[in-house]
Amino acid sequence: MSLPNYKITMLALSLGVAAAMVGCSSNPKKEVVDTGPQSSEQIYMQKAQQALDRGQYSEAAKSLEAIDTYYPTGQSSAQAQLDLLYVKFQQKEFETVVTQADRFIRLNPQHPNVDYAYYIRGVANMELNYDSLMRYTSLQQSHRDTSYMKLAYQNFVDLIRRFPSSQYSVDAAQRMKFIGQELAESEMNVARFNIKRKAWIAAIDRAQWVVEHYPQTPQTPEALATLAYAYNEIGDKATSEQYVNLLKLNYPNLVRANGTVDLAASRHDASWVNRATLGIFGREAKANANAETTSSNVESTDKRSWTNRLSLGLLDKQKTVDTSTTEMPKSPAQATQAAPSTTEADAAK
């Protein structure tokens, strides 16, 4: 039985395409041959510095990577690695920054500028916790995975513990405060869910963690109210009364006249409009005057205009951004090279 003409045509075309694909895949790829260094270590470093001064990070990365590859024990090797951390951060290759910072710390534990590697590693881990959707809307990072935030927090702890007088320690401490608020909110978000499904013990565990580990965060009043409420629900009146008394002393507005806890007053959940529009509309101000104000990172999100939120951050951009996206300071070695020498300064006078 013969096939129709159109089927024969389609079969021929299919075989032709398959043969072409097999032919293309069988062609060997040209191997890239490493011809070795094309310049001296000093020339590579000069090119890198010139590219950095012009903000040409791709060109700077090529020269710095060449030093790291061809002159691993050279005089400029450590400086090139630190500058490369800065370049990769500017290129938003945050995973590479974390990996290379770990490598620098491991290979140069006594380097005078190793504190920069500790610092930039923490900031890069913070950046890894934010994607484009988080940056351009009012969605809370604390309601998502916070694993990178926890890593960043530990990175900053290591920095401050090892280098308490480092020039980066003050900023690291501010970032730790912000991260603490995010982690506390994450715990309370889970506690709220457990309250809704009447999992009282699970809610108690989350709220207790906030009270013990993040006592200076704005989530503390709600955590105490949650503990008083949940203990009352499981029948532990004595423990519940202890937390009620604590609320009366510190947050009396959260205790009703009859002595019961006003759990709703301690919460500041986003409205359904806010959730439905991915945080663009329906953003409610925080009403609890007794709670500490949040860091400038969070406040800057509330000040964005409706056109900025509606366009997902493309229009009406703010000049001031939160500290989680501020430009990374240059490495000490790079900053020293950029500064004029004493002789040059005297000549300028």
Side-chain angles (χ1 to χ4, degrees), residues 310-324:
L310 185 61
S311 62
L312 297 182
L314 299 178
L315 301 177
D316 195 15
K317 294 182 180 179
Q318 278 186 294
K319 293 182 179 179
T320 304
V321 295
D322 57 318
T323 55
S324 66

Side-chain angles (χ1 to χ4, degrees), residues 153 175-185 214 217:
Y153 190 91
R175 290 176 183 273
M176 287 176 63
K177 181 180 179 181
F178 171 71
I179 294 173
Q181 294 175 359
E182 292 285 278
L183 297 179
E185 176 61 25
Y214 312 111
T217 59

Side-chain angles (χ1 to χ4, degrees), residues 90-240:
Q90 296 300 327
Q91 293 179 314
K92 301 188 184 305
E93 297 182 21
F94 303 121
E95 291 183 351
T96 302
V97 172
V98 173
T99 302
Q100 293 187 352
D102 285 334
R103 171 174 172 254
F104 185 88
I105 293 170
R106 185 177 66 255
L107 297 178
N108 306 275
Q110 304 301 323
H111 192 277
N113 297 326
V114 71
D115 57 334
Y116 182 77
Y118 278 92
Y119 173 71
I120 197 172
R121 179 178 63 175
V123 180
N125 271 320
M126 284 187 71
E127 291 293 332
L128 284 170
N129 228 59
Y130 292 89
D131 55 26
S132 58
L133 190 63
M134 292 298 303
R135 294 185 191 282
Y136 298 138
T137 66
S138 299
L139 292 174
Q140 290 181 282
Q141 176 58 49
S142 52
H143 293 178
R144 296 166 46 121
D145 178 46
T146 56
S147 56
Y148 283 114
M149 286 296 226
K150 293 177 181 178
L151 285 174
Y153 190 91
Q154 188 58 50
N155 294 154
F156 294 135
V157 168
D158 292 341
L159 168 64
I160 294 174
R161 182 182 299 155
R162 294 172 182 268
F163 310 98
S165 58
S166 169
Q167 60 179 309
Y168 308 109
S169 292
V170 174
D171 184 73
Q174 292 296 321
R175 290 176 183 273
M176 287 176 63
K177 181 180 179 181
F178 171 71
I179 294 173
Q181 294 175 359
E182 292 285 278
L183 297 179
E185 176 61 25
S186 177
E187 294 293 327
M188 290 311 304
N189 186 52
V190 178
R192 294 176 202 126
F193 172 75
N194 288 323
I195 288 290
K196 288 181 180 179
R197 66 189 188 97
K198 298 183 179 181
W200 312 119
I201 300 299
I204 288 172
D205 288 342
R206 297 288 182 164
Q208 190 67 47
W209 183 270
V210 172
V211 172
E212 292 180 358
H213 295 86
Y214 312 111
Q216 304 300 321
T217 59
Q219 289 75 20
T220 300
E222 183 184 353
L224 293 172
T226 300
L227 288 169
Y229 184 86
Y231 273 116
N232 182 70
E233 290 296 323
I234 64 175
D236 190 345
K237 305 296 183 181
T239 305
S240 177

